Amino acid sequence: MNIVTTIRSPNYTDLDIPVEFVVLHFTAASLERTLEIFTDAASEVSAHIVIDRDGSIYELVPCLGGTAQRAWHAGKSRMEFSTNGDSQLIESFNDRSIGIELVNLNGNLFPYTEAQYASLFGVLERLKGLYPGLARPEVVVGHEQIAGFRGKSDPGLCFEWERLFAVCYPNLGAPRRNQVCRKAFVEKMSGLVRALGITVNRASGEVEIPEGVPSSLFEHLSALSESALSRDEV
Ligand SMILES: [Zn+2]
């Protein structure tokens, strides 16, 4: 597995965290734009790992060397977990998780690539070997499962959870992963994307954006869907 470690994010706390969870995200931007955001101190966001459409892996915040620093990817977050019948509310996932960003303009609209799944599964195997806390499938969650109340909807409806659990946690079952985006909402977003002439190349799986349409559209679409789907009172 070839991992790029020459690009680092300044956006993390220099503090070893206990690794109890993995949180999956989509970037809502191209690889270049994602790296630009995550290496900009002013953005105050980062993830440990970014996986591009071609499967390339970038380790922006240390976590593959046996210890993990605290990256800033989950924000305000919470999820109910049951262990041996006892239910427990887990909060502040940045304190206890590794964040993996998959490059996708919108994971509720566009599929992930085979190369991304292969790299993601490889990274998860490696992390499981380093951190015993990751031995059970329940601890791999999406941002939408822990921050859906804030309108987060990543990795989204196109992410194949069952496949991840079958490959990375064979015979251990597939925990439910309810998604935040409703079908009707996805249809409206698809209508907007189609009206702008944006298509998916069937052969390569790549999203083709006509000239004149800024790719930052998808960052705006993500922000829009976040506020539309938010159930937070604040
Ligand atoms: Zn996210």
Side-chain angles (χ1 to χ4, degrees):
M1 212 167 30
N2 185 29
I3 297 160
V4 179
T5 56
T6 47
I7 304 167
R8 293 294 196 185
S9 172
N11 302 327
Y12 68 95
T13 317
D14 191 6
L15 175 81
D16 277 7
I17 54 164
V19 177
E20 297 163 353
F21 298 91
V22 169
V23 180
L24 303 184
H25 306 259
F26 69 69
T27 56
S30 68
L31 174 75
E32 292 69 27
R33 175 72 182 136
T34 300
L35 295 178
E36 189 186 334
I37 295 168
F38 287 174
T39 55
D40 177 2
S43 76
E44 300 189 340
V45 292
S46 65
H48 294 87
I49 290 170
V50 175
I51 301 178
D52 194 14
R53 309 286 293 170
D54 68 0
S56 305
I57 301 165
Y58 297 78
E59 187 194 26
L60 299 182
V61 175
C63 68
L64 292 169
T67 55
Q69 305 293 298
R70 184 181 180 276
W72 305 340
H73 60 97
K76 198 175 165 195
S77 47
R78 57 175 183 257
M79 188 172 174
E80 200 77 47
F81 273 87
S82 71
T83 314
N84 305 325
D86 281 341
S87 194
Q88 196 189 356
L89 182 70
I90 305 285
E91 293 180 281
S92 304
F93 277 73
N94 284 344
D95 293 344
R96 60 191 87 244
S97 70
I98 287 181
I100 302 178
E101 290 270 358
L102 301 165
V103 175
N104 190 327
L105 293 173
N106 192 309
N108 288 296
L109 298 174
F110 306 122
Y112 292 88
T113 68
E114 287 303 312
Q116 280 181 308
Y117 282 113
S119 291
L120 172 63
F121 298 162
V123 165
L124 279 176
E125 278 309 312
R126 179 109 153 226
L127 292 173
K128 274 166 60 189
L130 292 170
Y131 306 107
L134 304 181
R136 56 192 193 113
E138 286 78 8
V139 302
V140 183
V141 297
H143 201 191
E144 60 190 318
Q145 277 91 47
I146 60 168
F149 62 93
R150 290 196 288 123
K152 296 292 179 188
S153 65
D154 54 328
L157 288 158
C158 298
F159 186 77
E160 297 176 36
W161 280 105
E162 302 231 330
R163 184 168 163 190
L164 180 150
F165 291 131
V167 172
C168 299
Y169 295 92
N171 309 316
L172 290 173
R176 251 183 108 89
R177 291 290 172 256
N178 293 330
Q179 278 115 351
V180 162
C181 250
R182 292 206 180 24
K183 244 179 140 189
F185 190 77
V186 173
E187 276 163 20
K188 303 295 181 291
M189 284 201 293
S190 299
L192 171 68
V193 162
R194 266 199 313 276
L196 290 166
I198 296 162
T199 52
V200 179
N201 183 312
R202 288 214 177 263
S204 67
E206 278 318 301
V207 179
E208 293 176 347
I209 302 174
E211 224 173 289
V213 176
S215 58
S216 64
L217 166 80
F218 286 97
E219 286 173 63
H220 293 296
L221 189 61
S222 237
L224 179 69
S225 85
E226 197 173 313
S227 68
L229 298 168
S230 175
R231 305 187 303 275
D232 214 332
E233 297 298 314
V234 185

